[in-house]
């Protein structure tokens, strides 16, 4: 988004609690899948998964009082998003996000409405960056 002066403004697109796991690290498939529940922020074309914390796991919709360190930041430029194939997880409502550097993440929420909103927001983020 550009201001009248043409200066980029960082806008908070979306934030909330999600279940996520990293499955591939820069082309290397990780041996174990560790799901974490964490506060997740979509802002300025970057998706940030914060470190698992008791506050974010238990807190529902509210952010932890003090945000912990980001665990993963995913640049949406050149990324792709799709519903994960059934063989990727036994869970329902799972999205698969692939970053341009060859990493993959699964993103999940039991609520279809909530995961659909994330699908839309991340998809739009990817779209916006591809038109630059
Ligand atoms: C894994 C754990 C994951 C599960 C994964 C299991 O076992 O139960 O939650 O992924 O299934 O291997 P462990 O805790 O012993 O590592 P899903 O919940 O996404 O199904 P997978 O091997 O089919 O990936």
């Amino acid at each position: 988004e550009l201001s009248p002066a043409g200066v980029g403004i960082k806008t908070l697109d979306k934030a909330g609690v999600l279940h996520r796991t990293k499955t591939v690290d820069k082309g290397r498939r990780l041996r174990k899948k560790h799901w974490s529940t964490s506060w997740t922020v979509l802002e300025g074309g970057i998706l940030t998964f914060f470190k698992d914390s008791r506050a974010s796991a238990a807190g529902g919709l509210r952010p932890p009082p003090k945000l912990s360190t980001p665990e993963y930041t995913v640049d949406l430029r050149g990324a792709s998003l799709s519903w994960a194939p059934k063989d990727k997880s036994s869970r329902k409502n799972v999205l698969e996000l692939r970053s341009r550097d060859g990493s993959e993440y699964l993103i999940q929420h039991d609520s279809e409405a909530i995961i659909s909103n994330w699908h839309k927001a991340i998809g739009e983020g990817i779209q916006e960056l591809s038109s630059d």
Side-chain angles (χ1 to χ4, degrees), residues 21-84:
T21 182
K22 191 176 193 178
T23 54
V24 179
D25 182 48
K26 293 175 183 147
R28 264 204 310 172
R29 185 156 290 277
L30 301 171
R31 275 186 298 135
K32 273 227 151 197
K33 205 195 276 167
H34 294 292
W35 285 99
S36 300
T37 303
S38 74
W39 186 247
T40 306
V41 171
L42 175 60
E43 186 179 53
I46 307 279
L47 187 69
T48 303
F49 298 111
F50 286 87
K51 281 203 170 137
D52 205 358
S53 71
R54 277 203 305 163
S56 70
L61 296 173
R62 272 179 310 147
K66 190 167 160 249
L67 283 183
S68 54
T69 351
E71 182 158 18
Y72 304 125
T73 58
V74 185
D75 185 350
L76 295 186
R77 189 179 299 273
S80 64
L81 180 73
S82 57
W83 293 103

Side-chain angles (χ1 to χ4, degrees), residues 21 31-35 87-91 94 106:
T21 182
R31 275 186 298 135
K32 273 227 151 197
K33 205 195 276 167
H34 294 292
W35 285 99
D87 64 341
K88 291 285 176 87
S89 175
S90 63
R91 298 185 176 208
V94 183
L106 298 179

